[in-house]
């Protein structure tokens, strides 16, 4: 199966990338604007998160209700999120409704009302979400770990802080958004049922004359990393560990994904087998790979009750260090099959494909075919994996735990 | 798209939807059993869910590690889930693994239940119970279901408690398994790009010898207790409130109107609760969903608010529901709700995994094989009069209410 890819780069700096899928009737759209939380003003953390709400409070000729009614009537399943690098707007609907949906999104992105009276409630919702995070230690530890692991402000909590939110004003926010909602570096990815000529023309009509400046380079300060414990009376101790990994545009990227699979690809992978199946120490244990443009990491999570937490940490860290002792040919074979199979199954989902297209364009500046990824995965040898593990060893672990008592991270 | 069906002599039903243009296939065993089927006389609360874990712990032919490794070798997306009334085991694979995934899953359905695995897995279940203790909304859900259903078996907790799990005996689990996993109570479901003849032939071999027991379930309708309560947890920052009101059951044709009603009053965006609570930031979360159950159903409303705004938020929900029962939906709301539901069903239906659960539950609850297009037609056939009548008949505002938070 060869994919039908299309790309078009507009003069204003925006790129449209698309994949036509013949077997579906839906079309999904992911709109990635380089105005994520790392671009928030230094004293305005939480700006992008507030914006995901504020942008939908009226745009063009429509008020809040008008926007919602218009999107709902088109059966549009939409979602807005502030990530580190991008402000993401995504939406899935029947392919035939896509042109009408794009017209509404042109209003949302280019002509939002941003009225004074709707700003307060949006900021308030973000502040409430911040409290909600505090009530859910599992979610919270992932957010806090990124803050420690990535350089500032790339890793900071997109929700900001109580203080930054309380000081945020509609005037400064409007100014900030005016500067940052720009076609320069913006990617629109579409996957599913569409006619390319029509899509290309619609996007040109709605976004072709959109103008704006390039986003400023984010000034990074080094990550703090190290070992942190947050004391909290939780039922389970939350354990997160992280160490650097190859980024998506690195030649070692596929080896990184293989290592992640060997640790945590399925229930037969190392962490699940040793920590849960053999010892019954946890319900949840997982290793995830995450990449920003210049930095990537392998993130391990385990949750367990306090009296078993030290053993869980020891066994988990032991497994991470055991990687350096070697990997087996059959583990590699399973990891390859899992990666390729997941890829084919994601290929059936318009939403998953739109996200993947946007990610490819952002990280690589091109779209990868199934064929290309499959061959790259097949080409990985045990030797490649060991070379990778030597280059990215799991020894200097950034560690964050939340729970009643502090744990001891054994030295290598 | 083509439906196929066969019932084996021992009562096992095989039901599939073949889609030759899909890239993958999904296959699962749907067992009509869950916490509502756990006898209150025996101390077995949580046995359905614990058993679901034990099903992955090996058979006469396979060790627990074999099972995990084989799934991984196929690159399968696989898991299982247990609810108040269903336990489902599934795997999605590329078509070339059809035979292997059926061999593995059908073997798993006759587990060894070894004593040493039972003790290790007990620790995992206790960890899972602890995990959910750190999730306020889940804690609230379990307590709210218990509060609403009172003496009705749907009040039973899916996870059980640390005490009930510690006390659970392997022999009681075996006894529960023998009765509830009788072939007449199990459906083999598949969807996607698959070979029907091969599937039936193989299922005869692997499942045809399963012994039959008689299985029953108490499916009384209930309107719930309508009680109001609160659980105080000073450690929490947010006040979480859950409300349940009665709704049509899974076999009731009014379930389509119930879907539309829930979308109008309580979808996360653009609903009555959105404008009354989220837009003015009185609550950060407010939603109402419809859940159809065997013989009964519920509308379940969740709110998360600052502690000092929660009482007002609950009052507003009641005012909105009262107004809705009196006035019913507008035409604009009807159109938006129908389109949203149809679009979400279409997206789900494009994936074999999405079709697997739809096809499976159509059979488990209604003994029907219905194409997605017919479901969507029935959503479009719902009128505003249907929705208004439903809100009145079931009294949307007669809620069981439970709060969990610092006050």
């Amino acid at each position: 199966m060869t994919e039908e890819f299309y790309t078009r780069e507009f003069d204003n700096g925006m790129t449209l990338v698309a994949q036509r899928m013949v077997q579906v009737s839906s079309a999904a759209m992911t709109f990635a604007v380089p105005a994520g939380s790392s671009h928030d003003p230094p004293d305005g953390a939480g700006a992008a998160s507030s914006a995901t709400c504020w942008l939908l409070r009226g745009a063009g000729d429509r008020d809040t209700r008008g926007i919602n009614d218009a999107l709902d009537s088109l059966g549009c399943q939409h979602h807005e999120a502030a990530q580190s690098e991008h402000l993401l707007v995504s939406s899935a609907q029947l392919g035939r409704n896509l042109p009408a949906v794009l017209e509404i999104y042109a209003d949302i992105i280019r002509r939002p009302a941003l009225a004074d009276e709707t700003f307060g409630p949006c900021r308030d919702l973000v502040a409430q979400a911040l409290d909600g995070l505090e009530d859910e230690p599992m979610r919270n530890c992932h957010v806090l770990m990124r803050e420690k692991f990535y350089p500032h402000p790339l890793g900071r909590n997109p929700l900001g802080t109580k203080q930054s939110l309380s000081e945020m004003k509609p005037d400064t926010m409007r100014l900030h958004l005016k500067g940052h909602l720009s076609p320069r570096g913006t990617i629109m990815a579409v996957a599913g049922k569409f006619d390319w000529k029509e899509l290309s023309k619609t996007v040109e009509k709605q976004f072709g004359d959109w103008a704006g400046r390039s986003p400023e380079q984010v000034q990074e300060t080094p990550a703090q990393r190290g070992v942190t414990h947050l004391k909290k009376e939780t039922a389970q101790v939350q354990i997160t560990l992280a160490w650097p990994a190859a980024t998506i545009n690195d030649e070692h990227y596929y080896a990184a994904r293989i290592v992640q699979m060997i640790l945590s690809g399925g229930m037969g992978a190392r962490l699940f087998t040793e920590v849960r199946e053999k010892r019954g120490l946890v319900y949840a244990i997982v290793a995830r790979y995450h990449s920003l443009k210049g930095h990537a990491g392998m993130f391990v999570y385990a949750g367990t009750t306090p009296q078993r937490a030290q053993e869980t940490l020891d066994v988990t860290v032991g497994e991470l260090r055991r990687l350096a002792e070697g990997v087996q040919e059959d583990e590699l074979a399973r990891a390859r099959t899992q990666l390729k199979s997941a890829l084919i199954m994601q290929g059936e989902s318009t939403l998953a494909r739109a996200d993947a297209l946007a990610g490819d364009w952002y990280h690589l500046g091109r779209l990868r075919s199934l064929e290309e990824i499959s061959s790259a995965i097949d080409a990985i040898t045990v030797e490649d994996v060991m070379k990778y593990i030597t280059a990215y060893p799991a020894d200097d672990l950034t560690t964050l735990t939340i729970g009643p008592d502090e744990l001891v991270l054994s030295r290598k | 798209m083509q439906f196929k069906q066969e019932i084996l002599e021992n009562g096992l039903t095989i039901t599939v939807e073949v889609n030759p243009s899909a890239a993958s296939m999904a296959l699962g065993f749907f067992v009509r059993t869950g916490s509502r089927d756990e006898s209150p006389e025996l101390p077995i609360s949580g046995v359905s869910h614990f058993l679901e874990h034990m099903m992955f712990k090996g058979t006469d032919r396979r060790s627990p590690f074999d099972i995990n490794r084989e799934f991984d070798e196929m690159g399968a997306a696989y898991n299982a889930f247990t609810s108040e009334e269903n336990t489902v085991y599934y795997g999605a694979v590329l078509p070339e693994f059809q035979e292997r995934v059926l061999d593995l899953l059908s073997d798993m359905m006759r587990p060894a239940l070894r004593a040493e695995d039972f003790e290790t897995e007990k620790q995992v279940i206790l960890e899972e119970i602890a995990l959910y203790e750190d999730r306020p909304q889940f804690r609230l859900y379990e307590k709210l279901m218990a509060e609403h259903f009172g003496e009705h078996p749907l009040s039973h907790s899916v996870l059980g408690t640390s005490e009930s799990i510690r006390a659970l005996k392997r022999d009681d689990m075996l006894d529960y398994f023998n009765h509830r996993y009788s072939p007449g109570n199990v459906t083999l479901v598949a969807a996607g790009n698959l070979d029907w003849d091969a599937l039936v032939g193989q299922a005869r071999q692997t499942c045809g010898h399963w012994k039959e027991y008689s299985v029953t379930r108490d499916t009384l309708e209930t309107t719930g207790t309508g009680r109001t309560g609160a659980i105080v947890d000073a450690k929490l920052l947010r006040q979480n409130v859950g409300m349940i009101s009665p709704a049509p059951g899974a076999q009731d044709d009014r379930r389509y109107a119930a879907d539309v009603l829930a979308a109008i009053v309580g979808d996360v965006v653009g609903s009555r609760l959105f404008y009354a609570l989220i837009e003015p930031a009185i609550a950060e979360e407010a939603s109402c969903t419809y859940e159809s159950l065997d013989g009964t159903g519920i509308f379940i409303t969740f709110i998360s608010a600052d502690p000092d705004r929660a009482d007002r938020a609950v009052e507003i929900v009641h005012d909105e529901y009262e107004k809705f029962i009196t006035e019913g939906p507008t035409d604009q709301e009807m159109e938006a709700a129908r389109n949203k539901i149809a679009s979400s069903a279409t997206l789900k239906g494009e994936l074999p995994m999405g079709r697997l659960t739809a096809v499976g539950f159509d059979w488990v609850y209604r003994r029907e094989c219905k194409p997605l297009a017919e479901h969507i037609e029935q959503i479009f056939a719902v009128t505003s009069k249907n929705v208004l009548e439903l809100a009145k008949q079931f009294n949307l505002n007669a809620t069981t209410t439970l709060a969990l938070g610092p006050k």
Side-chain angles (χ1 to χ4, degrees):
Chain A
M1 190 172 70
T2 48
E3 300 98 321
E4 275 187 59
F5 287 148
Y6 302 91
T7 58
R8 181 171 172 193
E9 296 179 62
F10 292 91
D11 293 339
N12 60 11
M14 174 174 144
T15 308
L16 169 66
V17 294
Q19 178 182 353
R20 201 170 82 91
M21 293 158 69
V22 288
Q23 73 279 25
V24 299
S25 55
S26 74
M29 185 267 300
T30 296
F31 202 48
V33 186
S37 55
S38 61
H39 297 273
D40 287 353
D43 55 353
S49 289
S50 307
T52 59
C53 170
W54 204 21
L55 287 172
L56 277 91
R57 296 293 185 266
D61 299 333
R62 299 179 175 96
D63 61 5
T64 304
R65 200 177 278 269
I67 289 281
N68 284 329
D69 286 351
L71 292 174
D72 286 350
S73 298
L74 293 162
C76 179
Q77 313 274 309
H78 59 100
H79 178 69
E80 299 77 33
Q83 296 185 338
S84 173
E85 292 154 315
H86 294 110
L87 202 155
L88 278 186
V89 175
S90 59
S91 127
Q93 52 279 309
L94 293 179
R96 62 166 183 261
N97 291 340
L98 185 64
V101 167
L102 289 175
E103 198 180 316
I104 300 167
Y105 276 106
D107 278 344
I108 292 171
I109 301 293
R110 301 185 57 188
R111 294 171 286 275
L114 304 181
D116 276 4
E117 62 274 20
T118 54
F119 180 71
C122 287
R123 186 185 59 179
D124 191 347
L125 288 174
V126 179
Q128 293 188 52
L130 208 50
D131 279 346
L133 194 60
E134 194 67 35
D135 279 351
E136 282 187 59
M138 190 199 270
R139 260 190 328 120
N140 198 17
C141 77
H142 291 124
V143 172
L144 295 172
M145 176 48 111
R146 284 196 186 176
E147 214 154 47
K148 280 174 59 74
F149 180 78
Y150 285 122
H152 182 77
L154 296 178
R156 79 173 156 195
N157 182 352
L159 299 174
T161 64
K162 277 289 171 70
Q163 179 164 358
S164 68
L165 291 168
S166 70
E167 289 166 1
M168 212 176 270
K169 300 278 180 295
D171 284 343
T172 45
M173 266 293 281
R174 256 191 303 265
L175 209 64
H176 170 73
L177 288 175
K178 216 174 162 168
H180 285 76
L181 292 176
S182 156
R184 297 265 153 222
T186 287
I187 301 164
M188 179 186 284
V190 175
K193 187 182 174 113
F194 60 81
D195 174 276
W196 169 248
K197 271 192 186 150
E198 187 196 3
L199 175 65
S200 178
K201 231 161 81 187
T202 309
V203 175
E204 182 182 336
K205 184 175 163 218
Q206 299 302 338
F207 295 95
D209 58 353
W210 181 23
R213 56 172 200 231
S214 298
E216 310 129 41
Q217 194 72 29
V218 172
Q219 294 303 314
E220 298 174 15
T221 58
Q224 158 204 4
R225 302 200 172 165
V227 179
T228 312
H229 174 73
L230 296 173
K231 195 171 168 58
K232 196 174 165 92
E233 294 305 315
T234 52
Q236 282 195 315
V237 181
Q238 311 293 322
I239 301 171
T240 51
L241 305 160
W243 71 100
T247 52
I248 295 179
N249 59 356
D250 188 297
E251 54 170 329
H252 297 301
Y253 166 69
Y254 293 101
R257 297 309 303 270
I258 293 280
V259 168
Q260 179 217 349
M261 287 286 138
I262 289 173
L263 285 173
S264 184
M267 294 191 199
R270 289 187 180 191
L271 289 176
F272 199 88
T273 301
E274 295 300 324
V275 185
R276 175 164 153 174
E277 297 292 71
K278 288 192 182 162
R279 295 176 178 82
L281 288 168
V282 299
Y283 170 73
I285 182 154
V286 65
R288 292 192 188 91
Y289 168 86
H290 180 260
S291 181
L292 300 172
K293 201 152 199 171
H295 312 269
M298 209 73 84
F299 295 81
V300 172
Y301 167 83
T304 185
T305 42
Q307 61 277 17
R308 313 163 85 203
Q310 186 62 52
E311 188 186 352
T312 301
L313 179 65
D314 293 344
V315 176
T316 305
V317 170
E319 280 310 307
L320 303 183
R321 291 186 177 148
R322 194 165 67 86
L323 281 172
E325 293 169 21
V327 300
Q328 304 302 312
E329 196 64 61
D330 63 323
E331 285 181 295
L332 173 59
R334 285 199 296 276
R336 277 196 209 111
T337 309
Q338 287 175 304
L339 281 175
K340 288 190 291 181
S341 162
L343 202 64
I344 294 169
M345 290 195 225
Q346 279 164 17
E348 298 184 294
S349 157
T350 53
L351 273 163
R353 280 311 298 161
D355 280 347
L357 297 177
D360 273 8
W361 194 265
Y362 176 63
H363 287 282
L364 304 168
R366 60 192 185 82
L367 306 178
R368 290 177 299 172
S369 68
L370 196 62
E371 173 74 40
E372 175 190 340
I373 301 175
S374 283
S375 327
I377 293 168
D378 282 336
I380 301 276
T381 62
V382 167
E383 227 188 337
D384 296 331
V385 176
M386 292 319 295
K387 247 191 252 165
Y388 176 82
I389 292 167
T390 311
Y392 295 90
D395 47 16
D396 200 8
L397 297 168
T398 302
T399 307
L400 182 116
T401 51
I402 302 178
D405 302 305
E406 200 160 346
L407 308 177
V408 183
L409 183 69
S410 67
R411 295 271 150 227
K412 197 178 176 185
Chain B
M1 231 65 92
Q2 202 180 3
F3 280 102
K4 301 270 190 185
Q5 192 171 75
E6 178 97 7
I7 301 176
L8 302 188
E9 272 173 32
N10 63 3
L12 180 94
T13 304
I14 308 167
T15 187
V16 310
E17 185 187 66
V18 186
N19 175 7
S21 70
S24 68
M25 66 166 292
L27 185 143
F29 282 96
F30 286 57
V31 190
R32 188 172 171 261
T33 200
S35 56
R36 70 179 290 166
D37 304 299
E38 296 169 358
S39 153
E41 285 98 62
L42 278 174
I44 57 164
S45 172
V47 69
S48 311
H49 169 255
F50 190 170
L51 174 60
E52 174 227 295
H53 280 233
M54 286 303 294
M55 303 289 281
F56 285 85
K57 302 303 268 184
T59 66
D60 294 343
R61 284 162 56 201
R62 289 176 167 99
S63 77
F65 306 107
D66 290 336
I67 290 180
N68 292 341
R69 195 197 63 245
E70 285 183 51
F71 272 124
D72 288 355
E73 280 170 359
M74 289 182 264
Y78 60 104
N79 212 332
F81 59 85
T82 306
S83 70
E84 287 82 1
E85 47 194 25
N86 293 290
T87 311
V88 178
Y89 305 82
Y90 63 88
V93 293
L94 302 187
E96 67 205 78
F97 294 116
Q98 172 180 321
E99 186 185 340
R100 230 181 130 188
V101 78
L102 177 57
D103 180 67
L104 178 54
L105 274 165
S106 53
D107 188 33
M108 280 170 62
M109 297 305 285
R110 288 296 173 265
L113 302 182
R114 282 179 276 262
E116 63 271 27
D117 296 327
F118 184 80
E119 292 310 318
T120 309
E121 202 58 23
K122 197 175 254 194
Q123 301 304 313
V124 174
I125 303 287
L126 292 170
E127 287 299 337
E128 190 173 355
I129 291 172
L131 180 149
Y132 283 111
E133 273 177 47
D134 287 331
R135 290 192 186 172
Q137 294 196 351
F138 183 86
R139 263 166 78 194
L140 175 63
Y141 170 81
E142 281 230 317
K143 300 277 189 238
L144 175 65
M145 287 290 277
E147 191 74 13
H148 177 75
F149 283 105
E151 299 295 309
H152 191 281
L154 276 166
S155 64
H156 300 174
S157 153
V158 173
L159 287 176
T161 63
S162 305
E163 293 72 35
S164 73
I165 294 301
R166 283 202 182 91
L168 194 66
K169 302 271 183 300
R170 188 244 173 210
D171 286 348
D172 290 335
M173 179 182 278
L174 180 62
D175 190 54
Y176 175 88
F177 169 80
N178 279 333
H179 287 90
R180 301 301 308 180
Y181 282 59
S182 171
N185 210 35
V186 179
T187 310
L188 168 56
V189 187
N193 190 347
L194 59 93
D195 178 341
W196 164 248
D197 291 332
L199 190 129
V200 177
Q202 192 189 350
R204 252 184 237 291
Q205 297 290 316
T206 56
C207 315
H209 63 282
W210 294 354
K211 200 176 147 200
E212 220 186 330
Y213 288 82
S214 79
V215 192
T216 56
R217 169 181 283 175
D218 181 356
T219 55
L220 280 178
E221 205 167 337
T222 173
T223 52
T225 65
R227 292 197 288 244
T228 298
I231 304 166
V232 178
D233 182 341
K235 294 198 298 290
L236 296 175
L237 297 177
R238 309 287 297 156
Q239 192 75 8
N240 303 279
V241 185
M243 305 161 91
I244 293 184
S245 45
Q251 293 85 1
D252 190 324
D253 283 341
R254 291 173 293 180
R255 67 184 180 280
Y256 293 106
D259 274 329
V260 174
L261 185 154
I264 293 172
V265 302
D267 197 6
V268 285
V269 187
S271 65
R272 299 257 173 135
L273 294 185
F274 173 83
Y275 292 114
L277 293 172
I278 310 282
E279 194 192 14
I282 295 165
E284 195 245 332
E285 288 176 51
S287 65
C288 172
T289 48
Y290 164 59
E291 207 176 313
S292 64
L293 296 157
D294 206 353
T296 188
I298 53 175
F299 289 114
I300 183 160
T301 304
F302 274 112
I303 304 168
S304 161
D306 283 349
D308 58 2
R309 287 189 263 193
D311 288 344
R312 206 173 127 224
V314 172
E315 269 173 43
I316 292 173
V317 172
H318 282 303
D319 290 349
E320 285 297 324
Y321 286 179
E322 201 52 52
K323 201 170 138 216
F324 190 80
I325 293 172
T326 319
E327 296 168 7
T330 65
D331 289 346
Q332 165 67 39
E333 285 176 321
M334 286 297 295
E335 191 204 335
R338 287 186 295 231
N339 281 318
K340 278 200 270 195
I341 297 168
S343 170
S344 136
T346 303
L347 280 159
K348 191 179 161 210
E350 287 176 351
L351 307 176
M353 261 315 294
R355 283 309 288 159
L356 182 80
T357 47
V359 170
F361 289 134
D362 274 350
W363 182 257
V364 170
Y365 285 108
R366 292 175 289 275
R367 297 286 183 256
E368 67 182 13
C369 301
K370 200 176 206 174
L372 179 59
E374 276 180 41
H375 279 288
I376 291 177
E377 270 169 38
Q378 281 188 272
I379 284 290
F380 280 103
V382 173
T383 64
S384 53
K385 194 165 156 253
N386 298 148
V387 174
L388 178 60
E389 271 170 13
L390 184 80
K392 285 187 206 288
Q393 281 160 353
F394 283 86
N395 194 0
L396 182 62
N397 219 0
T399 63
T400 302
T401 304
L402 190 67
L404 169 65
K407 60 172 253 191

